Amino acid sequence: MPTRRSALKLPLLGLPMTLAAPWPSWAAPPRLAVRGQDIVGPDGQPILLRGWNWGHWAQIELQDAAENAAQGANAVRIPLRYWGNYPGKGVESRDDNATATAGLAPANIAKLDQIVRAASAAKLWIVLFLDSDCGQNGVMQPEQQRFCDPGGQYGANGHNFWTDAAMRQKFIAAWRFVASRYKDTPYLGLFEPLPEPNPHGTPGGQIKAFYAEVMAAIREAAPGVPLLIGGRSYHAQAIDDVFDPAWKDVVYTGNLFLHAKARGADDAALAEFRDRLKRLADFRAQHNVPVFVQQVGVRSKEDPDRRALREMMQALVSSRVGFTYWDYRGAGNPDEYSVLFERGRDWVTKREWIDTISAAFKQR
């Protein structure tokens, strides 16, 4: 049954909107850690993180955190969109004039405070990432290229963090601010420096070097918080390019979207999904490091009987690979990935989809 959408309102949980540090530094909470192939909880025992992506940042609802926890989730992946041509007013957070907040729009930081507080209060381990469509690549679509490089001075390689060293330093400064601000958050799980890096004409080793520079800044600002990284475009087959045996606080990732035919998932699509998952699991065993799938999903229109969804969830459970499903709330029609979609002013729940994914959350 449709439910009326509600706005993300301030203040949340009776807390005032403020740009003061949201958590006292003396209250550093227990953290996740990396131990061999496992992410371990504060009790030292392996933990499988499973939950949702709150990827459509402007559409997060206050009740989502408690709902997700009730569904069996123990994790949530939350973005801060930094520099890019994002749909929706106020989604891009870059504001070079906001010197007090390291070039991040104060209103967006205040909103992120509330989103993070809600997830933390529901005891969901938070995977917090800074996204930048320009910084990752800058040439994904013509309109994105025009936005990132309005003067056309960067050419075919795009205006990104590899072609513009000054922009890279601005991004690192933003990360220092974010890492310092949220380091003492209860249930702050992982920091994800930059999803899906794909700079044109740049070898994988330079992607690894970029991560090394950003992670050094994050570690300095928030020592002890594990980090999540992946290879080019987060392809499973590119994961080796960013491996470093010296990094003892890193979890590795790859996307696991399944693209099926409109009439339904076929055996070839499912076999290709299992191959990519096996690639991640083999990498885990070979290098004795943890892996975590930060985005897994299939469009509803491509899997009308949920066959692919069921098999994807079972494969992840059997492989003991944690994941956050893309995504919880956001699409404007029932055909896309999200399990809640908008119809006019209402949210409609795809109940069978939630139940299938929730069942996977609860398996041990």
Side-chain angles (χ1 to χ4, degrees):
M1 185 174 180
T3 58
R4 182 73 62 187
R5 70 170 293 150
S6 59
L8 178 61
K9 298 176 180 174
L10 303 174
L12 170 64
L13 304 177
L15 297 166
M17 186 181 81
T18 176
L19 287 181
W23 289 273
S25 60
W26 47 262
R31 302 194 190 280
L32 300 178
V34 171
R35 188 180 66 200
Q37 297 182 30
D38 295 315
I39 301 171
V40 298
D43 61 357
Q45 297 302 307
I47 182 172
L48 278 172
L49 301 179
R50 294 170 175 156
W52 301 98
N53 275 276
W54 292 352
H56 294 270
W57 194 64
Q59 297 170 318
I60 296 169
E61 301 280 348
L62 297 184
Q63 70 269 21
D64 291 351
E67 287 180 1
N68 291 176
Q71 292 155 1
N74 65 357
V76 62
R77 183 169 175 259
I78 299 172
L80 182 66
R81 309 290 183 186
Y82 176 63
W83 171 39
N85 188 27
Y86 301 108
K89 183 179 179 181
V91 174
E92 186 192 38
S93 298
R94 180 188 167 196
D95 180 355
D96 290 348
N97 295 318
T99 56
T101 49
L104 294 166
N108 289 30
I109 293 298
K111 183 173 179 178
L112 182 61
D113 282 352
Q114 298 216 7
I115 294 168
V116 167
R117 284 186 187 276
S120 178
K123 300 182 179 180
L124 297 173
W125 287 104
I126 297 160
V127 180
L128 182 58
F129 69 99
L130 262 64
D131 172 74
S132 177
D133 282 355
C134 292
Q136 295 164 356
N137 178 288
V139 293
M140 288 180 290
Q141 300 92 21
E143 62 273 17
Q144 189 74 259
Q145 186 169 12
R146 288 190 293 269
F147 178 89
C148 303
D149 184 18
Q153 68 185 92
Y154 288 90
N157 285 339
H159 187 191
N160 55 51
F161 295 140
W162 287 264
T163 57
D164 188 340
M167 278 306 306
R168 183 169 68 251
Q169 293 308 310
K170 288 180 181 181
F171 183 66
I172 290 172
W175 250 121
R176 286 184 185 276
F177 177 87
V178 168
S180 179
R181 186 171 187 82
Y182 298 108
K183 65 183 174 64
D184 296 315
T185 305
Y187 290 91
L188 192 286
L190 308 173
F191 284 137
E192 183 181 352
L194 180 70
E196 301 174 343
N198 188 25
H200 282 240
T202 300
Q206 290 189 28
I207 295 175
K208 178 180 172 181
F210 167 83
Y211 275 139
E213 187 176 2
V214 180
M215 291 193 300
I218 295 173
R219 290 185 184 110
E220 183 179 351
V225 176
L227 298 145
L228 180 69
I229 66 170
R232 184 180 298 278
S233 296
Y234 276 6
H235 292 319
Q237 63 269 29
I239 196 169
D240 283 295
D241 288 344
V242 294
F243 172 69
D244 191 322
W247 295 339
K248 305 302 183 184
D249 57 353
V250 169
V251 179
Y252 294 86
T253 193
N255 287 335
L256 283 183
F257 290 108
L258 185 143
H259 298 290
K261 297 178 181 178
R263 64 177 180 271
D266 58 13
D267 290 340
L270 285 163
E272 194 266 346
F273 173 88
R274 294 189 194 96
D275 285 346
R276 284 182 287 138
L277 176 57
K278 184 178 184 299
R279 177 71 189 87
L280 296 176
D282 288 348
F283 175 90
R284 175 179 63 186
Q286 178 185 355
H287 296 297
N288 195 35
V289 294
V291 296
F292 170 77
V293 176
Q294 38 65 61
Q295 289 184 152
V296 60
V298 59
R299 286 187 175 93
S300 296
K301 68 178 180 181
E302 295 176 354
D303 188 26
D305 61 0
R306 290 176 295 110
R307 176 200 172 197
L309 179 68
R310 290 190 297 270
E311 296 200 24
M312 292 161 67
M313 293 296 100
Q314 187 54 53
L316 287 160
V317 169
S318 298
S319 298
R320 297 195 61 77
V321 172
F323 64 92
T324 40
Y325 193 87
W326 183 272
D327 60 348
Y328 190 61
R329 184 188 297 270
N333 65 73
D335 293 333
E336 291 300 321
Y337 295 98
S338 64
V339 296
L340 278 80
F341 68 93
E342 289 184 285
R343 179 181 290 158
R345 289 181 52 80
D346 295 332
W347 285 106
V348 180
T349 301
K350 295 191 246 183
R351 176 52 55 191
E352 292 180 331
W353 285 75
I354 288 181
D355 288 347
T356 300
I357 298 163
S358 177
F361 291 164
K362 295 172 184 177
Q363 292 192 52
R364 292 296 177 257

